[in-house]
């Protein structure tokens, strides 16, 4: 931001707002992942190659920062362990 001809440093919020949609989409590529609880009915949307599953099962998907599927498991701990094995930093989404 310019103030009286002087360029001030942007804080983190301003920097995030300054990202283009393409830059934002690639933020954390290959380094960040998150675990998401999903119902077995939703598995085929994220993992089309998965076999049909009985309805009503809660599973955990490990997803890349861009939402790309990495793995599916029946345990949150197993998903986090897989992220650790792949040297991925897991982040919490709220």
């Amino acid at each position: 931001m310019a103030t009286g001809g002087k360029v001030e440093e942007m804080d983190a919020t301003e920097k995030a707002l300054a990202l283009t949609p393409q830059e934002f989409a690639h933020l954390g590529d290959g380094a960040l992942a998150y675990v998401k609880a999903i119902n077995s009915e939703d598995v085929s949307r994220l993992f089309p190659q998965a076999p049909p599953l009985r309805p009503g099962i809660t599973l955990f998907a490990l997803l890349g920062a861009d939402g790309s599927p990495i793995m599916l498991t029946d345990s949150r701990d197993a998903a986090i362990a897989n992220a650790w094995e792949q040297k991925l930093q897991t982040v919490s989404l709220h």
Side-chain angles (χ1 to χ4, degrees), residues 2-3 5-8 12 14 17-18 24 30 34 36-37 43-44 46-47 56 74 80 83-84 88 92-93:
T3 305
K6 180 181 175 186
V7 177
E8 297 176 2
E14 290 173 322
L17 293 174
F24 190 73
Y34 63 97
K36 179 178 180 179
V43 168
S44 63
L46 286 172
F47 298 90
D74 62 351
I80 292 171
W84 182 79
L88 296 170
S92 254
L93 301 178

Side-chain angles (χ1 to χ4, degrees), residues 32-43:
L32 298 176
Y34 63 97
V35 177
K36 179 178 180 179
I38 63 171
N39 295 319
S40 53
E41 296 87 351
D42 299 324
V43 168

